[in-house]
Amino acid sequence: MPSKNKKLHDMQKLLNIKICTFSQISDTRWVCRHKNCKAVIDNFKSIINILNKEVEDNNDRDVSRAIGILSCVQKGSFIIHLHFISYVLNIINILSKQLQNDSGTLGQAASLINAVIKTFEDSRNQSKIYMTIWETIVTFAQQHNIELEVPNKISKRKRTEPEFLKNFVVTTTTAAEHEDSNNETNLIDYWKVHAYYPIIDEVVNNLKTRFSAESLNLAISIDHFFNLDYEKSSFFIQQYKDLLKVDLNSLQAEMMVAKNCIQNYNNKPEPGPEQKNQINLFKKNITISTFPNVYKLLNLALTLPISSASCERSFSTMRRINTYIRSTMTQDRFSSLAILNIERDISNNIDSNDILNIYSKTNRRLEL
């Protein structure tokens, strides 16, 4: 709500905190979750102050919600999970940006996916990484006066000194003293087992399910095919040789000749800008009449998308264009506006004066 955002901005200015807002949560865009976790951590103090002020004013129907949110965010379990999730999303966000990159290749995406999985596995196996996150949590809790504790439902009854020993000096450690000395260790181990490990394991399992070993090998193999390496691209070739009716002996010969042809083309003096682009090199040197097998596999490799992000942006564009203001718009106009918006990288470079000159030269007068 605009009023709530204004309160947040005013409190941020009062506390000398960088002005920021919270993004709307999306089921498909993980970057908004990453930004929101970071925003909550950076603006935790201002959020608490706004909720307290909302409760003190008690002038609208949102007071009960403010009380519920306030009691939730001031729990130790909340900030522990918040920092764990923030750590995970910091890593996931790197992969998310790569998968939405139009210029990325399948091989680059596969290498990054393997690197992300390896990073999470190292985070689980190396206690040093967990302790670094835990130290951050402890510092954050101390700054905001939040107590870190084990949930009551599984914590044991705290042992106390027997009444008859309170006035005596004992020479051995009692059970109560031993328990107090182990409280911090038990707290660290508890949240490692019940929060940190489950989150990391769930992320790794989902990544391995979503990106299977076969699909990653195929992606890397396609990148090797673009380099015309027959041996390293054999996985991609074997997958589609029967579908495209490719002769392997002819394909191997064509790939060796095409690779030498492109290398000779690159060695020409003063190459033009188009010669530095790999796809333009393929267009220049590889034709269907000379390299039929390479040509068919190359067409297939170029059409395999790295992700569906570009297609999803098209559907989002249609929702933004077809508003209630344009309810009477015809289908032709709707399609044209959608294309202009989807291909805005091209349409933004169009000079409006050129379009005006074209219209000014045409006779638009109607004969009555």
Side-chain angles (χ1 to χ4, degrees), residues 168-286:
F168 293 89
V169 177
V170 294
T171 57
T172 60
T173 304
T174 63
E177 293 175 348
H178 180 73
E179 183 173 333
D180 289 338
S181 64
N182 288 334
N183 275 343
E184 185 176 356
T185 304
N186 293 336
L187 182 65
I188 295 173
D189 292 339
Y190 173 83
W191 287 112
K192 179 191 288 187
V193 174
H194 291 84
Y196 183 70
Y197 282 168
I199 292 173
I200 297 295
D201 291 342
E202 187 69 19
V203 171
V204 171
N205 290 334
N206 278 278
L207 282 173
K208 289 182 177 180
T209 302
R210 176 64 181 84
F211 306 104
S212 64
E214 183 179 4
S215 62
L216 295 179
N217 289 336
L218 179 63
I220 295 173
S221 179
I222 290 174
D223 258 25
H224 288 304
F225 181 78
F226 286 135
N227 295 326
L228 299 176
D229 190 326
Y230 181 82
E231 296 296 332
K232 293 183 178 180
S233 61
S234 59
F235 188 85
F236 166 64
I237 295 171
Q238 292 295 329
Q239 289 287 325
Y240 296 101
K241 64 181 179 63
D242 295 331
L243 178 64
L244 299 179
K245 299 179 181 180
V246 173
D247 182 12
L248 296 182
N249 293 327
S250 299
L251 175 65
Q252 187 173 8
E254 290 176 11
M255 290 179 70
M256 290 189 294
V257 174
K259 187 174 183 178
N260 290 326
C261 183
I262 290 176
Q263 287 178 350
N264 292 333
Y265 194 85
N266 281 330
N267 291 332
K268 288 184 178 181
E270 298 181 0
E274 71 282 352
Q275 296 173 355
K276 298 177 183 179
N277 189 309
Q278 190 179 28
I279 296 179
N280 286 335
L281 286 176
F282 287 148
K283 290 180 180 179
K284 191 78 174 179
N285 295 277
I286 299 177

Side-chain angles (χ1 to χ4, degrees), residues 350-362:
I350 298 176
D351 189 356
S352 57
N353 292 325
D354 295 337
I355 299 175
L356 291 174
N357 290 333
I358 294 174
Y359 273 92
S360 63
K361 293 178 182 178
T362 57

Side-chain angles (χ1 to χ4, degrees), residues 292-352:
N293 295 288
V294 175
Y295 188 88
K296 286 187 287 187
L297 285 172
L298 191 59
N299 277 338
L300 175 62
L302 290 173
T303 54
L304 289 175
I306 183 174
S307 70
S308 60
S310 299
C311 302
E312 292 170 359
R313 292 192 189 103
S314 302
F315 289 102
S316 300
T317 296
M318 290 190 289
R319 183 185 62 188
R320 289 192 296 268
I321 292 176
N322 193 12
T323 61
Y324 73 95
I325 300 175
R326 299 191 178 105
S327 58
T328 59
M329 181 171 49
T330 61
Q331 184 62 39
D332 290 340
R333 179 177 175 82
F334 178 61
S335 300
S336 300
L337 289 175
I339 292 173
L340 286 174
N341 188 272
I342 294 169
E343 304 295 342
R344 55 184 174 275
D345 293 340
I346 300 174
S347 60
N348 288 341
N349 295 325
I350 298 176
D351 189 356
S352 57

Side-chain angles (χ1 to χ4, degrees), residues 16-33:
N16 293 324
I17 299 175
K18 182 180 178 182
I19 302 297
C20 71
T21 56
F22 294 94
S23 304
Q24 186 176 0
I25 296 297
S26 171
D27 293 333
T28 57
R29 297 291 298 276
W30 284 92
V31 64
C32 65
R33 299 176 185 269

